Amino acid sequence: SITLKYGAQYIGKRQDAEMKKFRANRLGQFIHWGLYSIPGGEWNGTTYLGAAEWLANFAKIPNATWDSLQYQFNPNKFNAVQWAKMAKASGFKYVTITTKHHEGFCLWPSEFTEFDIENTPYKKDLLKEFVDAYTEAGIDVYFYYSILDWHHKDWRYDIKNQADSLAFSKYFEFAKNQLLELQQKYPEVKGFWFDGTWDASWKKNGKYSYDIQKALKEVNPNVIVNSRLRADDFGSRHFDSNGNLMGDYQSGYERYLPAKNDTLITKIDWEACMTIPVNQWGYHKDWSLSHVKSANEILELIVKTVSLGGNFLLNYGPKGDGTFRNEELEISNSIGNWMSKYADKVIYYGDYANLKPQDWGYYVKNTNSGKFYGVVFNLPLSKLLKIELPNGKKLKVVNFETEKLEYHHHDKMGYFISLPENTPNEPFIFEILME
Ligand SMILES: COc1ccc([C@H]2[C@H](O)[C@H](O)[C@H](C)N2C)cc1
């Protein structure tokens, strides 16, 4: 292997309590909220199709114009306790909120910039209200922080000369100071979700990304940091030049999942983040412009993720006034109903079952109870659920709610479980007992 100064700090899954809690949580709420939430993808009468939090970029809006949105940011309908209550009812065990997205606007009163919540009509420490409400609700809090910063004068996309290098070192100091400030002001924070780390300037400075993780861990030894922060000595991201995962979990799955038969991914901790429309993280006024995922589509993505040993972060983009759009409220309600019935069995503590994938859905092993479950999304016309067990394993009992399901064994093709009489018209689970 190659000797690296800024590569992976350790190999394998962390087994400390904080990481075990992150893993057991499985389901998180992502929140993208910033100045971009005010225009909602529309500027000077033109609606842009791209992701609303990138509007300044698509619409080529000068910084001075965009930054003046700061004087309009006044979420007078924001109710952190209500947000936390909805999140809890939806089954979210953790939340990740944008403290600063690419635009550079900070949702907390930062000592290191004027471009923050303090200098808006809202004035108050919005992030503290948020952290307190979610913590009170028993939901773990994580902070999203963008390294890419369109506002900061010392940000550089690339390092072409000594001047760039000096400026970028000042930007690094700014970012590190802000991150330590976030840990100090909001000590409840469990970890950081870094973004905006694809530019050459960052890839050329593996030391910077290494130092940020080190600095955060000095304050909180079990802080959880995503792989997206990291570039190694040679600019390799997420995985170092020896193929070892950097950070504490792989966060490359942005709006897509690994293949159902990908067993490699089950060897590391990972988290997928997902939008409800095709590609909108920040609030966009018009969701009719793309497909919007149904509750069942989202439930399948969540269960597929857990079945492969990953966490799932579902995104919400609240409006500038602090309210959520109806589509998000409806999804929350539907998902919450399903989670109230099944999450304790197949989401929380859910993990890879190491059983041969089948067409009808996904297997989940509950690492708390040790129980194995099937989650059915695709009803077979044969009315038979096929199960293939590893050699030496025999199927004993299949429980569906309070009944035991019939099954027969075919010496070469495996077991075939008969569907229950009254099959639910929603994704349902059955428990598998083997011997
Ligand atoms: C260029 O492609 C991109 C760049 C940034 C993103 C950002 C989104 O704004 C959102 O914050 C997502 C989590 N992040 C990867 C997505 C796609």
Side-chain angles (χ1 to χ4, degrees):
S1 68
I2 309 163
T3 306
L4 296 168
K5 281 192 285 185
Y6 312 123
Q9 279 107 316
Y10 65 87
I11 312 281
K13 297 183 180 183
R14 271 174 49 175
Q15 293 306 330
D16 54 281
E18 286 79 1
M19 195 68 195
K20 283 183 175 174
K21 176 69 165 56
F22 174 75
R23 200 175 292 134
N25 282 346
R26 286 301 186 218
L27 181 62
Q29 179 186 38
F30 211 168
I31 293 183
H32 276 71
W33 202 24
L35 300 182
Y36 47 78
S37 311
I38 298 171
E42 192 183 289
W43 197 263
N44 286 344
T46 302
T47 298
Y48 290 79
L49 290 175
E53 73 286 354
W54 273 74
L55 177 64
N57 179 278
F58 301 134
K60 300 187 180 3
I61 301 165
N63 271 10
T65 308
W66 183 264
D67 295 357
S68 64
L69 284 169
Q70 157 175 35
Y71 305 110
Q72 292 177 49
F73 194 74
N74 189 15
N76 53 11
K77 291 183 185 159
F78 173 54
N79 179 326
V81 172
Q82 273 307 315
W83 282 25
K85 191 162 169 281
M86 180 183 93
K88 191 165 185 66
S90 305
F92 295 116
K93 291 289 186 184
Y94 68 107
V95 64
T96 302
I97 183 166
T98 50
T99 59
K100 184 192 83 159
H101 202 262
H102 312 332
E103 64 183 5
F105 175 70
C106 300
L107 283 186
W108 82 98
S110 172
E111 179 193 332
F112 304 98
T113 179
E114 300 300 296
F115 194 41
D116 66 4
I117 194 73
E118 211 167 6
N119 299 286
T120 68
Y122 191 79
K123 284 191 180 35
K124 301 187 299 280
D125 184 348
L126 183 150
L127 192 59
K128 177 147 181 53
E129 292 174 81
F130 178 90
V131 170
D132 289 352
Y134 273 78
T135 301
E136 179 60 30
I139 298 174
D140 292 341
V141 176
Y142 288 75
F143 288 157
Y144 165 113
Y145 184 90
S146 175
I147 296 292
L148 166 61
D149 189 317
W150 295 331
H151 172 85
H152 200 283
K153 64 179 176 43
D154 293 326
W155 166 260
R156 294 293 182 278
Y157 287 96
D158 197 353
I159 310 296
K160 294 227 182 305
N161 51 48
Q162 195 51 34
D164 284 346
S165 188
L166 178 62
F168 202 58
S169 67
K170 285 186 191 147
Y171 177 74
F172 166 69
E173 283 309 314
F174 161 79
K176 197 169 99 173
N177 287 335
Q178 282 209 314
L179 289 161
L180 293 172
E181 177 182 50
L182 283 167
Q183 268 189 311
Q184 183 268 326
K185 285 177 73 70
Y186 314 101
E188 303 88 340
V189 70
K190 304 291 182 207
F192 290 82
W193 205 102
F194 288 96
D195 198 5
T197 55
W198 49 80
D199 290 298
S201 53
W202 196 251
K203 294 201 286 192
K204 285 176 179 172
N205 286 285
K207 182 178 186 323
Y208 285 174
S209 71
Y210 183 90
D211 284 354
I212 279 184
Q213 181 166 5
K214 195 160 139 259
L216 293 173
K217 282 188 180 290
E218 268 155 23
V219 174
N220 169 3
N222 289 326
V223 71
I224 295 172
V225 171
N226 69 337
S227 62
R228 199 177 278 261
L229 165 69
R230 299 291 299 282
D232 78 350
D233 312 49
F234 303 99
S236 178
R237 295 180 61 221
H238 295 282
F239 293 90
D240 69 21
S241 306
N242 293 318
N244 294 316
L245 180 68
M246 297 183 280
D248 299 309
Y249 64 91
Q250 212 267 43
S251 61
Y253 291 99
E254 184 253 338
R255 296 184 303 118
Y256 78 107
L257 299 183
K260 193 167 182 175
N261 60 359
D262 180 342
T263 51
L264 259 185
I265 197 70
T266 67
K267 304 274 186 288
I268 57 174
D269 282 311
W270 63 282
E271 177 197 71
C273 58
M274 193 62 68
T275 51
I276 295 177
V278 170
N279 186 14
Q280 290 297 340
W281 299 92
Y283 173 71
H284 192 290
K285 284 178 177 163
D286 187 355
W287 272 17
S288 71
L289 299 171
S290 92
H291 174 74
V292 176
K293 297 178 190 69
S294 66
N296 281 343
E297 279 180 78
I298 293 168
L299 287 170
E300 179 158 3
L301 292 168
I302 295 170
V303 171
K304 179 178 179 185
T305 297
V306 174
S307 78
L308 287 167
N311 278 35
F312 192 89
L313 199 57
L314 181 64
N315 185 71
Y316 289 69
K319 300 177 193 169
D321 68 0
T323 60
F324 289 104
R325 66 189 322 127
N326 288 338
E327 296 95 329
E328 290 173 335
L329 297 174
E330 282 153 24
I331 284 287
S332 280
N333 191 40
S334 307
I335 286 182
N337 287 337
W338 195 86
M339 290 298 160
S340 65
K341 284 185 256 182
Y342 304 109
D344 280 330
K345 294 185 176 70
V346 298
I347 305 294
Y348 311 137
Y349 293 97
D351 210 330
Y352 176 57
N354 194 15
L355 291 170
K356 189 162 182 259
Q358 302 295 339
D359 295 335
W360 43 260
Y362 309 89
Y363 292 110
V364 172
K365 178 183 179 182
N366 188 301
T367 56
N368 194 32
S369 65
K371 292 185 177 180
F372 288 82
Y373 296 93
V375 191
V376 179
F377 286 89
N378 313 311
L379 280 181
L381 292 172
S382 65
K383 297 201 181 313
L384 294 171
L385 298 169
K386 179 179 179 182
I387 286 194
E388 293 167 274
L389 297 184
N391 290 335
K393 286 277 183 189
K394 282 175 64 184
L395 188 57
K396 211 168 86 183
V397 177
V398 181
N399 292 322
F400 165 73
E401 291 173 1
T402 54
E403 64 180 281
K404 295 189 184 332
L405 297 181
E406 300 285 312
Y407 63 82
H408 71 270
H409 182 244
H410 190 290
D411 59 312
K412 290 193 175 180
M413 295 193 289
Y415 293 91
F416 292 87
I417 303 163
S418 306
L419 281 178
E421 284 311 304
N422 51 347
T423 313
N425 66 350
E426 64 178 6
F428 64 89
I429 70 173
F430 59 91
E431 184 196 354
I432 304 160
L433 284 89
M434 296 175 267
E435 60 187 358

